[in-house]
Amino acid sequence: MNRRDLLKLGIIFSPLMLSGCGSKTSDGNGKPYLEITPKKTGLYSFSAPLPFDYGVIDEIVELNNKYTQSKITNLYNCVPRPLVEDFNNAMQAGRGHNYDIKSYEDFAKYAKYAMKKGFHICYLLNSPKPFTEKDYKEIEPKFKKLLDFLQDIGIDEIKFGNTQVASLVNKYKKFRLSASTCLEYHNITQYKNLVHNYPNIFLFDIAEDENHNFAFLKNLKTMFPTRNIELMVNEFCFKGCPARIFHPGGDFCNFDCPKIFNERTLFQNFYHSAIIYPWNLPYYSALGINNFKFSSTPQPRAVFTDLSFVRFYLDCVEYGVENVKAQDFIDNMIIFKFNKEIKVKENLMVKDIMPYLLDVGQFIKHGHECAVRCGTVCNYCDNQAAKMEKFLS
């Protein structure tokens, strides 16, 4: 394997290659707890927001024609605000305003256009907000009408973030269900019980805090080999956010995230997120996980038109990072609205900063322990951030 191939896999200069970190983790009896040899086992299938713009949909088609290692195969969305406010954030949440979508028929024209281009469409009913029986009686006619509408235009998948919604969908109609990250499930028993009650679930979108929990992901895939596991690659919320489960349920009295973001440096925020580097996909693929997802961050999903991050990420997957500048990586991968921009030397490359980025081997070793070790016996992420800041200074 030559230098370029190593860079495409993201293992050159990493502790995993230099010291075997992650490959010789003991379970207490001298046996490795988990070993992963990076291996691409299938096409990387990505989900992205459905743009309410024919031209942007065509741009995604052009990207798919360009890449061989990955494709954007699935587009997801729901009607945005203010139209979605008819549901009072129960069942579906708009994630931004788009005043051009005045009716469900306006949504349908973009969904149908995308389906003709070969995309699968998922409709989002993934607000985690619980609702009372009284609340439901008020929206029940609109809900049933929505289900009829989705079937009429050929949409067969609904993503839910509240089991009340899954129960009601199954009561009235036959849809394929996918479990949203908004469920915030963090153990296998939750998924086992979920599938027992809703066997028509075919895909799990994993809570971001578990993106680096390789032991959990491996065992979940072992338990459900025929169901897809999908991971969000660019979620910029920090791990352990106390309010993440409530954010999608409405904007009123949201958790004051800037307080925490502003107390950390840019790289501390970056390293405490659940972002997945493009060169780490083969480690997930080796577990049988080939489904990944783009959020619309930093744009609202309702006006998703900028594909620059998507293009950068998939370029790295396709061509590797050997010739990628560090500044391009920082501009596209470290987009925190609570941080100022950072500028580095023009000739600095990703390969130069890779030793200071988070090493996947650390999470193969300890990802399942992050919930109980972070900040107590382990300060790996903060230490790496300090090393990066020192290097760049």
Side-chain angles (χ1 to χ4, degrees), residues 156-187:
D156 67 348
E157 179 192 348
I158 288 176
K159 192 177 299 293
F160 70 94
N162 176 348
T163 55
Q164 287 178 301
V165 175
S167 296
L168 291 168
V169 170
N170 283 352
K171 178 180 178 180
Y172 296 120
K173 295 287 183 178
K174 290 185 177 180
F175 281 91
R176 295 197 306 162
L177 295 178
S178 53
S180 173
T181 59
C182 296
L183 287 170
E184 286 294 321
Y185 284 177
H186 298 281
N187 65 65

Side-chain angles (χ1 to χ4, degrees), residues 136-234:
Y136 176 63
K137 290 301 181 182
E138 293 178 1
I139 61 175
E140 182 179 18
K142 297 175 183 177
F143 173 66
K144 291 181 177 180
K145 186 177 180 180
L146 171 61
L147 295 184
D148 289 337
F149 164 79
L150 294 177
Q151 285 195 334
D152 288 345
I153 66 173
I155 291 178
D156 67 348
E157 179 192 348
I158 288 176
K159 192 177 299 293
F160 70 94
N162 176 348
T163 55
Q164 287 178 301
V165 175
S167 296
L168 291 168
V169 170
N170 283 352
K171 178 180 178 180
Y172 296 120
K173 295 287 183 178
K174 290 185 177 180
F175 281 91
R176 295 197 306 162
L177 295 178
S178 53
S180 173
T181 59
C182 296
L183 287 170
E184 286 294 321
Y185 284 177
H186 298 281
N187 65 65
I188 290 175
T189 303
Q190 288 174 308
Y191 283 102
K192 182 170 66 174
N193 292 334
L194 184 72
V195 170
H196 181 271
N197 281 353
Y198 309 102
N200 53 326
I201 295 174
F202 77 100
L203 179 143
F204 308 133
D205 271 306
I206 304 299
E208 289 85 355
D209 281 14
E210 309 306 329
N211 274 7
H212 300 148
N213 188 344
F214 283 89
F216 168 73
L217 295 172
K218 177 180 183 296
N219 291 334
L220 185 64
K221 186 63 179 177
T222 299
M223 175 164 280
F224 299 105
T226 63
R227 288 175 169 82
N228 290 328
I229 292 174
E230 186 172 75
L231 302 174
M232 185 88 78
V233 299
N234 65 324

Side-chain angles (χ1 to χ4, degrees), residues 274-346:
I275 290 171
I276 297 174
Y277 302 154
W279 53 84
N280 284 343
L281 298 191
Y283 291 91
Y284 296 94
S285 186
L287 302 180
I289 298 173
N290 291 301
N291 291 82
F292 302 95
K293 184 177 180 179
F294 292 119
S295 74
S296 61
T297 304
Q299 292 181 298
R301 191 178 63 218
V303 290
F304 177 65
T305 57
D306 186 356
L307 299 178
S308 57
F309 171 84
V310 171
R311 186 178 291 105
F312 174 84
Y313 195 97
L314 296 182
D315 274 354
C316 290
V317 172
E318 186 76 14
Y319 308 117
V321 295
E322 185 173 11
N323 298 312
V324 175
K325 292 183 178 180
Q327 187 66 63
D328 291 337
F329 176 85
I330 290 171
D331 289 345
N332 284 282
M333 295 289 292
I334 312 179
I335 311 173
F336 290 99
K337 59 185 177 181
F338 305 120
N339 284 105
K340 295 180 180 179
E341 293 182 0
I342 184 171
K343 298 297 180 184
V344 299
K345 295 178 180 178
E346 176 68 22

